[in-house]
Amino acid sequence: MDDSRISFDQWGDLYADRVQTMRKSEVRDLFAALSRPGVIALSGGLPDISSLPLDQVAECARRCVAVEGLRSLQYGNSDGRIECRKTICKILAVQGIEADPDEMILTSGSQQALDFLGRVFLNPGDDIICEGPSYLGAFQAFSAYEPSVHTIDMDEEGIRTDLLEAKLKELASQGRKPKFIYVIPNFNNPAGITMSMPRRLRLLELAHQYNIPVVEDDPYGLIRFEGEDLIRLKSLDSNVIYLGTTSKIFAPGLRLAWMVAPRHFLERINLAKSGSDLCTSPFNMILAEHYFNEVDWQAALEVSKSRYKERKDAMLAALEEFFPQDVTWTKPEGGLFLWVTFPPYLNTEQLLPRAIEEGVAFVPGVYCYPDQRISSSMRLCYSFETPERIREAIRRLSLCVQDRMALYRAFLEAGALPESSRSESYSSAREC
């Protein structure tokens, strides 16, 4: 017998305890299904980078070596090139944020920044607070540090600060203090909801009252295609820890992001950075400098935004045309996602295999909560597929949804499903 084929892990007793709590990315697992011919992907949050002026990007890449020479290929500082940090300050100024390059550290993508937050702030069992639903990649990053995550429900204005206040009072009464509050105020991933100004102000009031840092993750803030731009939390309170990235305004493959925060905090982050990767790629930083300083990047972004709006409108129109009346969805003014909510008996995680068979993929809402609660919701991404393919995907998806709803109603009318146990009974009957 070939021992190489044995899957037994002889190192199983050597792994750190934290490995048991580290959460995998269910969205990454979906990519295997997307390789099937004919599957329309409404799952992964891929930005449309087809509007990039590749000839100019190529010239920027050439100039990285032609202008900077060997420096572009050498090690760099752990906090990032000062020239790149100054360039990022110009991008932040477009968003109304006055930033000091000395209060910024560059990271290898926002995901690394999220990991650093966990590494610097969290001990096992520490409390953190986030919106519900929220970015599953953040849960994945934090999970290695074994926190207790409390999700605060959202409505059309964003995080419900009344529930947040109640949770903070509850924890304080138990002698517990959250290490930070993590929010995505602009076009939340996964819900597409934007936090209103009254909620932003109240959130900061509560954070100040309880002396808790606020982490503002803002990858989508520049992708507004409708409505009025809202003041960033960082502009309202200099103590906010602000995360930004080139992934949605240039190229996700660049893996370049930034954290803007008080200097005393960045000193700790710099220690984590030095022990992680020594430095972010100098070549990538220099490429970003040339692109944002020499190319009309805002014009390229406007092309992408117009496409996102067209595709979002196509998805909303298809949802209105094909989905049942007792299904609701958000109507984002920017970003890449919207959130669909079904009657409580419809488990979207159980719906996913059937949907993939029909040639469409989505993200079940259960993945967007840290406790992976049963969820009758889903995240749909409209950024990558064409309007025609989006409409076809929603049509296919509606057939799966209507079949499941009809099955539930048939069992209910036959007296096989008690009203008081909708979710449980439907789950047991789902294979019928």
Side-chain angles (χ1 to χ4, degrees):
M1 184 176 180
D2 184 359
D3 291 342
S4 67
R5 298 180 65 181
I6 299 176
S7 61
F8 174 74
D9 188 350
Q10 69 269 34
W11 297 333
D13 60 340
L14 303 179
Y15 298 132
D17 292 341
R18 75 177 66 89
V19 174
Q20 303 303 319
T21 65
M22 291 172 65
R23 179 173 171 176
K24 68 177 182 178
S25 173
E26 292 86 352
V27 172
R28 293 292 178 266
D29 292 344
L30 279 173
F31 280 111
L34 300 184
S35 64
R36 293 175 51 177
V39 173
I40 303 174
L42 305 183
S43 48
L46 298 175
D48 183 350
I49 60 174
S50 63
S51 63
L52 285 176
L54 288 182
D55 55 342
Q56 296 181 63
V57 174
E59 175 60 19
C60 289
R62 188 194 68 81
R63 287 173 60 78
C64 286
V65 176
V67 175
E68 296 291 334
L70 293 177
R71 284 179 295 179
S72 66
L73 304 173
Q74 187 55 274
Y75 286 120
N77 297 329
S78 58
D79 53 357
R81 282 171 51 96
I82 184 63
E83 296 90 345
C84 190
R85 283 181 277 142
K86 289 179 178 179
T87 298
I88 301 303
C89 285
K90 297 177 184 177
I91 299 173
L92 292 171
V94 174
Q95 302 173 79
I97 299 174
E98 294 184 10
D100 186 329
D102 291 332
E103 295 185 339
M104 177 189 304
I105 189 169
L106 302 183
T107 61
S108 302
S110 290
Q111 198 67 22
Q112 185 183 60
L114 293 171
D115 178 72
F116 289 163
L117 286 172
R119 192 177 306 187
V120 169
F121 273 120
L122 298 177
N123 294 312
D126 281 348
D127 297 292
I128 61 175
I129 290 177
C130 66
E131 300 156 314
S134 191
Y135 173 47
L136 60 92
F139 300 142
Q140 186 182 15
F142 301 150
S143 67
Y145 306 100
E146 305 174 63
S148 177
V149 184
H150 306 273
T151 55
I152 307 299
D153 288 343
M154 294 190 294
D155 59 18
E156 66 277 1
E157 292 189 59
I159 190 169
R160 286 190 51 185
T161 47
D162 58 330
L163 299 180
L164 172 61
E165 183 175 15
K167 175 57 68 175
L168 292 173
K169 287 180 179 178
E170 174 192 335
L171 293 174
S173 70
Q174 300 168 4
R176 297 159 63 185
K177 179 179 177 179
K179 289 298 185 71
F180 57 80
I181 302 171
Y182 171 77
V183 293
I184 308 172
N186 297 307
F187 322 119
N188 159 282
N189 177 0
I193 293 171
T194 295
M195 191 185 302
S196 69
M197 275 307 302
R199 296 282 176 87
R200 294 177 189 231
L201 295 172
R202 182 58 180 153
L203 167 63
L204 293 175
E205 287 176 357
L206 290 169
H208 179 76
Q209 178 181 341
Y210 287 88
N211 191 29
I212 301 171
V214 171
V215 178
E216 179 180 20
D217 196 357
D218 192 29
Y220 314 105
L222 282 169
I223 310 179
R224 173 177 285 278
F225 41 70
E226 292 176 354
E228 284 189 30
D229 200 22
L230 296 180
I231 300 174
R232 305 297 190 268
L233 298 176
K234 182 65 177 177
S235 297
L236 296 168
D237 185 343
S238 61
N239 284 317
V240 166
I241 300 168
Y242 181 89
L243 308 182
T245 177
T246 62
S247 292
K248 309 303 184 296
I249 61 174
F250 181 14
L254 203 63
R255 309 311 303 137
L256 179 62
W258 48 90
M259 179 184 293
V260 185
R263 298 185 190 189
H264 59 81
F265 174 71
L266 289 183
E267 290 175 3
R268 274 84 176 168
I269 294 293
N270 211 339
L271 291 175
K273 175 76 171 171
S274 299
S276 176
D277 66 355
L278 299 181
C279 66
T280 295
S281 164
F283 187 91
N284 289 358
M285 288 187 283
I286 295 169
L287 177 57
E289 292 167 29
H290 283 290
Y291 179 76
F292 288 108
N293 288 323
E294 299 167 12
V295 176
D296 191 352
W297 63 272
Q298 293 188 69
L301 184 59
E302 284 299 321
V303 175
S304 294
K305 286 162 58 176
S306 66
R307 291 175 181 171
Y308 295 150
K309 183 181 185 306
E310 180 185 23
R311 294 167 186 180
K312 184 267 298 185
D313 289 343
M315 181 172 285
L316 291 178
L319 288 168
E320 191 70 39
E321 179 180 359
F322 293 115
F323 269 36
Q325 290 187 349
D326 50 355
V327 180
T328 61
W329 48 84
T330 58
K331 298 178 180 179
E333 296 181 331
L336 310 183
F337 311 102
L338 61 80
W339 187 253
V340 182
T341 303
F342 299 90
Y345 59 79
L346 199 152
N347 185 325
T348 55
E349 187 176 30
Q350 295 165 358
L351 182 69
L352 181 59
R354 167 68 193 287
I356 291 176
E357 287 180 1
E358 294 296 327
V360 58
F362 62 86
V363 174
V366 64
Y367 298 165
C368 302
Y369 290 90
D371 54 6
Q372 295 191 302
R373 67 186 72 174
I374 296 297
S375 176
S376 56
S377 54
M378 65 174 62
R379 186 191 80 175
L380 298 180
C381 176
Y382 49 77
S383 62
F384 197 70
E385 299 285 0
T386 65
E388 294 76 21
R389 283 171 61 85
I390 287 173
R391 184 179 185 278
E392 174 60 18
I394 297 300
R395 185 194 68 80
R396 296 179 190 178
L397 190 54
S398 72
L399 297 177
C400 303
V401 169
Q402 291 175 41
D403 283 351
R404 288 301 175 101
M405 296 177 112
L407 177 63
Y408 171 79
R409 287 192 294 267
F411 273 82
L412 187 63
E413 291 170 1
L417 300 181
E419 284 276 3
S420 60
S421 57
R422 289 183 170 186
S423 295
E424 294 83 355
S425 299
Y426 181 74
S427 176
S428 64
R430 68 184 184 277
E431 300 301 333
C432 296

